[in-house]
């Protein structure tokens, strides 16, 4: 039946049997005998033709369904003469045989739209809100201008297509041929290979991308035959292969290189990331299988039958792979296997050591059942119940079960994932070849448990793996090292209060269970676990005093960190202080700790940090006075670095309490190397004290020349006599109103003995230069009330400018120094674009980005406080909302700066993204900033998918995705099961428990 019956009756005519050419009527007889006249469609009122010319054409030109009959009729019948003069009109492109109108020609004008209608265009305003900084006198001038990409600072980064002339192609080809000749003639020259790689990348043959990349890979493979372990060539090969082939083929290429040289850490990490960092290939067992092969190969390195690698020390590579494997297990949520692996590594390298603190105890997890029952009976939706129960079990059930026996105390129906046997983890742990590497191993184990150990850049280079590859920690607790180990006590809390609060708030938002952060349920259990681990590590080095003291110091710092966190969170109680003091005194009563002055200094620092609870500093100062009297009675020389450390810390605390006289007395005692109290005559002769101090410094500088360039790991934690002497000497000059002399002394040392050139060739000089930069920063920040009456405002301004230049130079050389990063984030009077640009150029990985976020938050708090002070007694909610929105947009822009979607991204930002993309903390912070009422779920989902594609192994990302994009919870759980992530609570189990 026809779609339009008026055009041809109820059925379309398949064949015409009878056609009349005379008259205006036509008849069609169908095969079933049904006959209809086609003239009826003209009488239908729904098809009323308004063009009479077309109707006239219809009457004069009879329709015919057969084109062949139409041609013959035109040839056979002559046309009247009056019709020849008429202009022929366009024929209609349908007839009665079609049954309906067919549009056979499109209108090309509708394919492109040059511009929208005026009322359809959105109005874009060039005026953008920004965070108002009260310290800057901004003039709010609204003006319109056309963006000039030639003068714009972003115009340099816009890729412009340019045509290459034939002459330039010939020159490039000639240069490439010349380079090939040099490579063939001098293959041992690394510069020729790198130059050839760059010239091939410019594509002089104008080949496709695949051909160019294959030429580069072939050239790099030949170069690696000449330079087997060159780091630059290995990185170029991995980057080129990853950009050319899929991950599976990249893994095959890397395995071929590993067959020739199996002791390259760069190749092993690249092979691991080809599996771990790809969503399609990421699987817990597959990644662990690679770790198993790599660790076994490192263990067999010395016993290789070919005797090719007999002299190779594989312990450093094994330590890095061990650390990466432990991080991978922690990020996958397999804390049970991680702690079982740490326990085996501790016991395997120290005979007779039993690490029972890393084994679960059933009675300590009884509170978990009570909390679970509260959640199950709360009546919340099942997805919310699953999220909370999962986090609860993750906080309590992180330790593996002990070896099951008759008195194990473990009930039936236990979680089989917590039954970790030795056979499950022995493939990832092997004994070290050299006993000197045990301290390194134990420090890595402590670091994996999220204890903030590293504060300096040099120690981070020594302990942590290269941040351009895997191995950078995603634990936000690592940033709390500045709270656990303050680099100075001269500055008051007033200058660092906002930053400390912002740092703690960020740590609370981004921390993941299990953690020692007090706002988590089960944090006390993890705190006891970590404290016991530190004491077990000190017990393992019972016969190595220097190493044993390191873990006791870390234990003190950990207790002090928990105190500071509770004080900032206003959760510090007298009961907690009493308990911690009792544990500290128990530790100090031990025979091996009773005569160590450094431990009593840590006790005094703990008491000083608790001053907010009791503003009387006498508990801390009494400890110092006890140590001074005790050492004076024992005739101990003051040239001992630990005793010098006692006096210097005591003096800095006195400076922060504005006790200038007492602080100067302590410093002069160190300069004269005499115990307090000293004679009034000696105290009055300040020049003699300074001269004696300078002589000691010169002697230490001479001894430093003969010292080996590489430092022992213990030296990073021990007191340094040269640094303490310089610290005491410079602080004395500042208190005597001679700060310019201290400035000249430090400037001369940084320029001569500890110059940047010497720091590149010696690890010791590099560490000393970093510490001198911190000391220089302390000298420039000594309170003006301590400098003397001669201090004027221009001097203060000069010191501020000098401080900014110093910190900027320090960050350029030591991008992972926590003290420098924190001080740069505190420069609230510095223009935002300068502060932001320095953090972006600082190649500190996730540390620089997080400190940039902290800087934005500190500015927001400061601006909000200043606006409230300016409008006393008035309510300005609209201004507060404007500040909040501006701060929120500023923080989001920090993360979006590095993304590939940023068309104005610079080369430095692109390089930083290659480091940040594999760190889940970057994506989690970005997701949290988007979780507000100003962001749609679609945008959060898009960011979540990008994050999971970059870090598919991190469980914290999936848990945050369940919180910020709850509608995708079912899909996230499926992916977690597919990737074999650790899931403590199945949603079906909770559904049954909720209904029971």
């Amino acid at each position: 039946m026809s779609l339009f019956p008026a055009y041809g009756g109820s059925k379309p005519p398949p064949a015409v049997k009878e056609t009349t050419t005379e008259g205006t009527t036509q008849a069609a007889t169908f095969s079933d005998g049904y006959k209809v006249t086609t003239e009826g469609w003209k009488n239908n009122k729904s098809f009323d033709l308004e063009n009479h010319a077309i109707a006239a054409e219809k009457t004069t030109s009879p329709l015919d369904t057969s084109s062949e009959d139409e041609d013959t009729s035109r040839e056979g019948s002559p046309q009247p003469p009056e019709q020849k003069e008429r202009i022929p009109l366009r024929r209609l492109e349908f007839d009665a045989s079609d049954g309906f109108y067919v549009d056979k020609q499109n209108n090309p004008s509708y394919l492109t739209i040059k511009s929208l209608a005026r009322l359809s265009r959105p109005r874009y305003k060039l005026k953008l809100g920004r965070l108002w900084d009260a310290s800057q006198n901004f003039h709010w001038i609204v003006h319109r201008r056309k963006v000039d990409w030639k003068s714009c600072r972003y115009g340099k980064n816009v890729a412009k297509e340019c045509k290459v002339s034939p002459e330039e192609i010939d020159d490039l080809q000639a240069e490439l041929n010349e380079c090939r000749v040099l490579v063939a003639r001098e293959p041992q020259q690394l510069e020729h290979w790198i130059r050839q790689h760059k010239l091939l990348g410019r594509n002089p043959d104008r080949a496709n991308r695949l051909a160019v990349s294959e030429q580069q890979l072939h050239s790099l493979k030949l170069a690696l035959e000449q330079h087997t372990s060159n780091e630059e060539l290995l990185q170029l090969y991995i980057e080129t292969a990853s950009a050319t082939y899929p991950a599976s083929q990249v893994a095959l290429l890397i395995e071929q290189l590993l067959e020739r040289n199996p002791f390259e850490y760069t190749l092993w990490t690249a092979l691991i990331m080809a599996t771990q960092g790809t969503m399609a290939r990421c699987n817990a067992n597959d990644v662990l299988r690679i770790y198993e092969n790599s660790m076994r190969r490192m263990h067999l390195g010395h016993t290789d039958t070919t005797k090719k690698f007999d002299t190779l020390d594989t312990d450093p590579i094994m330590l890095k792979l061990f650390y990466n494997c432990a991080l991978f297990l922690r990020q996958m949520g397999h804390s049970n296997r991680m702690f079982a692996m740490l326990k085996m590594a501790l016991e395997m390298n120290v005979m007779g050591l039993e690490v029972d603190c890393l084994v679960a105890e059933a009675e300590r997890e009884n509170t978990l059942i009570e909390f679970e029952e509260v959640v199950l009976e709360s009546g919340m939706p099942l997805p919310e119940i699953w999220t909370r129960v999962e986090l609860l079990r993750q906080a309590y059930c992180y330790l593996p079960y002990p070896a099951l026996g008759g008195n194990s105390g473990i009930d039936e129906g236990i979680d089989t994932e917590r039954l970790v046997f030795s056979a499950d983890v022995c493939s990832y742990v092997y004994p070290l070849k050299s006993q000197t590497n045990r301290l390194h191993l134990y420090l890595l184990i402590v670091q994996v448990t999220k204890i903030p150990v590293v504060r300096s850049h040099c120690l981070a280079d020594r302990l942590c793996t290269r941040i351009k590859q895997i191995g950078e920690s995603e634990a936000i607790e690592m940033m709390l090292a500045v709270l656990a180990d303050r680099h100075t006590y001269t500055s008051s809390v007033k200058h660092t209060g906002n930053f400390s609060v912002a740092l703690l708030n960020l740590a609370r938002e981004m921390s993941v269970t299990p953690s020692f952060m007090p706002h988590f349920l089960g944090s006390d259990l993890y705190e006891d676990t970590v404290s016991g681990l530190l004491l077990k590590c000190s017990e393992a080095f019972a016969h190595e005093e220097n190493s044993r003291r390191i873990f006791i110091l870390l234990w003190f710092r950990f207790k002090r960190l928990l105190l500071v966190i509770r004080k900032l969170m206003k959760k510090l109680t007298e009961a907690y202080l009493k308990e911690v003091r009792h544990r500290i005194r128990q530790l100090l009563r031990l025979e091996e700790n009773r005569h160590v002055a450094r431990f009593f200094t840590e006790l005094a620092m703990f008491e000083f940090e608790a001053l907010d609870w009791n503003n009387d500093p006498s508990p801390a100062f009494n400890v110092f006075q006890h140590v001074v009297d005790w050492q004076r009675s024992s005739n101990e020389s003051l040239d001992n670095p630990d005793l010098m450390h006692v006096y210097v810390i005591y003096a800095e605390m006195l400076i922060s309490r504005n006790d200038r006289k007492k602080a100067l007395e302590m410093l002069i005692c160190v300069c004269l190397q005499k115990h307090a109290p000293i004679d009034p005559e000696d105290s009055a002769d300040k020049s003699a004290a300074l001269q004696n101090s300078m002589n000691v410094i010169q002697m230490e500088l001479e001894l430093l020349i003969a010292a080996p360039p590489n430092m022992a790991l213990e030296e990073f934690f021990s007191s340094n006599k040269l640094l303490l002497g310089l610290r005491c000497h410079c602080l004395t000059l500042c208190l005597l109103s001679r700060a310019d002399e201290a400035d000249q002394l430090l400037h001369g040392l940084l320029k001569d003995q500890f110059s940047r050139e010497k720091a590149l060739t010696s690890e010791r000089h590099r560490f000393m230069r970093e510490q001198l930069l911190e000391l220089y920063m302390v000298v420039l920040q000594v309170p003006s009330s301590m400098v003397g009456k001669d201090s004027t405002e221009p001097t203060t301004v000069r010191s501020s400018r000098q401080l900014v230049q110093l910190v900027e130079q320090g960050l350029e050389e030591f991008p992972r120094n926590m003290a420098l990063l924190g001080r740069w984030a505190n420069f609230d009077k510095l223009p935002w674009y300068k502060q932001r640009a320095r953090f972006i150029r600082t190649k500190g990985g996730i540390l620089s980005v997080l400190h940039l976020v902290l800087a934005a938050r500190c500015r927001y708090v400061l601006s909000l406080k200043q606006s409230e002070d300016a409008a006393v007694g008035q309510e300005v909610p609209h201004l507060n909302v404007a500040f909040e929105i501006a701060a929120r947009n500023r923080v989001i822009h920090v993360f979006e700066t590095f993304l590939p979607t940023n068309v104005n991204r610079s080369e430095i930002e692109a390089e930083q993204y290659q480091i940040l993309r594999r760190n889940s903390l970057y994506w989690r912070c970005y997701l949290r900033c988007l979780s507000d009422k100003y962001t749609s779920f679609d945008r959060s989902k898009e960011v979540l998918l990008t994050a999971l594609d970059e870090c598919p192994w991190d469980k914290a990302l999936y848990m945050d995705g369940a919180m910020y994009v709850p509608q995708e919870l079912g899909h996230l759980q499926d992916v977690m099961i597919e990737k074999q992530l650790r899931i403590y609570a199945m949603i079906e189990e909770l559904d049954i428990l909720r209904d029971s």
Side-chain angles (χ1 to χ4, degrees), residues 307-325:
K307 303 298 181 181
K308 182 179 179 181
F309 304 103
D310 271 349
T311 58
L312 186 64
D313 184 14
T314 58
D315 279 357
I317 307 176
M318 187 185 296
L319 288 172
K320 294 177 182 179
L321 291 172
F322 172 82
Y323 179 71
N324 291 341
C325 183

Coordinates of all heavy atoms in Angstrom, one line a residue, residues 307-325:
K307 N 79.9 -16.2 34.0 CA 80.9 -15.4 34.7 C 81.0 -14.0 34.0 O 82.1 -13.3 34.2 CB 82.3 -16.0 34.6 CG 82.4 -17.4 35.2 CD 82.0 -17.4 36.7 CE 82.1 -18.8 37.3 NZ 81.7 -18.8 38.7
K308 N 80.0 -13.6 33.4 CA 80.0 -12.2 32.7 C 79.7 -11.1 33.7 O 80.2 -10.0 33.6 CB 79.0 -12.2 31.6 CG 78.9 -10.9 30.8 CD 77.9 -11.0 29.7 CE 77.9 -9.7 28.9 NZ 76.8 -9.8 27.8
F309 N 78.9 -11.4 34.7 CA 78.5 -10.4 35.6 C 78.9 -10.7 37.1 O 78.2 -10.5 38.0 CB 76.9 -10.2 35.6 CG 76.4 -9.9 34.3 CD1 75.7 -10.9 33.5 CD2 76.5 -8.7 33.7 CE1 75.2 -10.7 32.3 CE2 76.0 -8.4 32.5 CZ 75.3 -9.4 31.7
D310 N 80.1 -11.3 37.2 CA 80.5 -11.7 38.5 C 80.8 -10.5 39.4 O 80.5 -10.6 40.6 CB 81.8 -12.6 38.4 CG 81.5 -14.1 38.3 OD1 80.3 -14.4 38.5 OD2 82.4 -14.8 37.9
T311 N 81.3 -9.5 38.9 CA 81.7 -8.3 39.7 C 80.6 -7.3 39.9 O 80.8 -6.3 40.5 CB 82.9 -7.6 39.1 OG1 82.5 -7.2 37.7 CG2 84.1 -8.6 39.0
L312 N 79.4 -7.6 39.4 CA 78.3 -6.7 39.5 C 77.6 -6.8 40.8 O 77.3 -7.9 41.2 CB 77.3 -6.9 38.3 CG 76.2 -5.9 38.2 CD1 76.7 -4.5 37.8 CD2 75.2 -6.4 37.1
D313 N 77.4 -5.6 41.5 CA 76.7 -5.6 42.7 C 75.2 -5.4 42.4 O 74.8 -4.3 42.0 CB 77.3 -4.4 43.6 CG 76.6 -4.4 45.0 OD1 76.0 -5.4 45.3 OD2 76.8 -3.4 45.7
T314 N 74.5 -6.4 42.7 CA 73.0 -6.3 42.4 C 72.2 -5.9 43.5 O 70.9 -5.8 43.4 CB 72.5 -7.7 41.9 OG1 72.8 -8.7 42.9 CG2 73.3 -8.1 40.6
D315 N 72.8 -5.7 44.7 CA 72.0 -5.2 45.8 C 71.2 -3.9 45.6 O 70.0 -3.8 46.0 CB 72.8 -5.2 47.1 CG 73.1 -6.5 47.7 OD1 72.5 -7.5 47.2 OD2 73.8 -6.6 48.7
P316 N 71.8 -2.9 45.1 CA 71.1 -1.6 44.9 C 69.9 -1.8 43.9 O 68.8 -1.2 44.2 CB 72.1 -0.7 44.2 CG 73.4 -1.2 44.7 CD 73.3 -2.7 44.8
I317 N 70.0 -2.6 42.9 CA 68.9 -2.8 42.0 C 67.8 -3.6 42.7 O 66.6 -3.4 42.6 CB 69.4 -3.6 40.7 CG1 70.5 -2.8 40.1 CG2 68.2 -3.7 39.7 CD1 71.1 -3.5 38.8
M318 N 68.2 -4.6 43.5 CA 67.3 -5.4 44.2 C 66.5 -4.6 45.2 O 65.3 -4.8 45.4 CB 68.0 -6.6 44.9 CG 67.1 -7.6 45.6 SD 68.0 -8.9 46.5 CE 68.8 -9.7 45.1
L319 N 67.2 -3.7 45.9 CA 66.5 -2.8 46.9 C 65.4 -1.9 46.2 O 64.3 -1.7 46.7 CB 67.5 -1.9 47.6 CG 68.4 -2.7 48.6 CD1 69.5 -1.7 49.1 CD2 67.6 -3.2 49.8
K320 N 65.8 -1.4 45.0 CA 64.8 -0.6 44.3 C 63.6 -1.4 43.9 O 62.4 -0.9 44.0 CB 65.5 0.1 43.1 CG 66.5 1.1 43.5 CD 67.2 1.7 42.2 CE 68.3 2.6 42.6 NZ 69.0 3.2 41.4
L321 N 63.8 -2.6 43.3 CA 62.7 -3.4 42.9 C 61.9 -3.9 44.1 O 60.7 -4.0 44.0 CB 63.3 -4.6 42.1 CG 63.9 -4.3 40.8 CD1 64.6 -5.6 40.2 CD2 62.9 -3.8 39.8
F322 N 62.5 -4.1 45.2 CA 61.8 -4.5 46.4 C 60.9 -3.4 46.9 O 59.7 -3.6 47.2 CB 62.8 -4.9 47.5 CG 62.2 -5.1 48.9 CD1 61.6 -6.3 49.2 CD2 62.1 -4.1 49.8 CE1 61.0 -6.5 50.4 CE2 61.6 -4.3 51.1 CZ 61.0 -5.5 51.4
Y323 N 61.4 -2.2 46.9 CA 60.6 -1.0 47.3 C 59.4 -0.8 46.3 O 58.3 -0.5 46.7 CB 61.5 0.2 47.3 CG 60.8 1.5 47.6 CD1 60.4 1.7 49.0 CD2 60.6 2.5 46.7 CE1 59.7 2.9 49.3 CE2 59.9 3.7 47.0 CZ 59.5 3.9 48.3 OH 58.9 5.0 48.7
N324 N 59.7 -0.9 45.0 CA 58.6 -0.8 44.0 C 57.5 -1.9 44.2 O 56.3 -1.6 44.1 CB 59.1 -0.8 42.6 CG 60.0 0.4 42.3 OD1 59.9 1.4 43.0 ND2 60.8 0.3 41.3
C325 N 58.0 -3.1 44.5 CA 57.0 -4.2 44.7 C 56.1 -4.0 45.9 O 54.9 -4.2 45.9 CB 57.8 -5.5 44.8 SG 56.7 -7.0 44.9

